[in-house]
């Protein structure tokens, strides 16, 4: 008889981050950052992009960690990351988040 054991991780984001940091340590803060379930890869040229992505994919494959390609984005010049728009040498706050603060209603009561 075959038994099935299901384990639900209570600290999944922190465990994922710890594992990814351990696996990607040769590249951390050089061209890779790991935060929760994101692994941004930073580059200066398209040649670097191919090289860095290949290095990351190779080490993940070696450690038998697999990506869902539908959730991956490649060759982006900018991206939304932690409510910021990063890219083109700039860091901007996402405009929809600023609009919410600007349109915040005035308080009518002390509470």
């Amino acid at each position: 008889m075959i038994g099935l054991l299901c384990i639900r991780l209570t600290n999944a984001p922190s465990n994922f981050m710890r594992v990814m940091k351990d696996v990607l340590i040769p590249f951390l803060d050089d061209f890779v950052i790991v935060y929760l379930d994101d692994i941004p890869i930073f580059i200066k040229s398209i040649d670097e992009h191919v090289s860095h992505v290949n290095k990351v994919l190779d080490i993940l494959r070696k450690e038998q960690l697999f990506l869902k390609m539908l959730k991956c984005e490649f060759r982006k010049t900018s991206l939304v990351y932690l409510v910021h728009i990063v890219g083109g040498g700039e860091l901007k706050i996402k405009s929809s988040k600023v609009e919410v603060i600007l349109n915040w209603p005035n308080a009518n009561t002390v509470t």
Side-chain angles (χ1 to χ4, degrees), residues 27-92:
F27 313 130
L28 281 181
D29 298 328
D30 184 17
F31 60 87
V32 170
I33 295 175
V34 175
Y35 183 75
L36 296 178
D37 62 346
D38 292 322
I39 306 171
I41 301 171
F42 297 95
I43 53 100
K44 294 178 185 164
S45 70
I46 196 66
D47 294 331
E48 270 189 3
H49 177 72
V50 172
S51 170
H52 291 172
V53 168
N54 282 335
K55 287 178 185 177
V56 170
L57 293 176
D58 286 345
I59 203 163
L60 292 174
R61 188 179 308 112
K62 178 183 161 210
E63 296 295 328
Q64 296 184 359
L65 297 166
F66 304 100
L67 303 175
K68 185 176 240 180
M69 293 308 289
L70 291 174
K71 292 187 174 188
C72 296
E73 297 181 60
F74 300 99
R75 298 182 75 160
K76 303 285 284 186
T77 56
S78 67
L79 60 98
V80 177
Y81 185 67
L82 300 175
V83 193
H84 290 80
I85 300 171
V86 181
E90 293 183 322
L91 175 64
K92 299 184 252 180

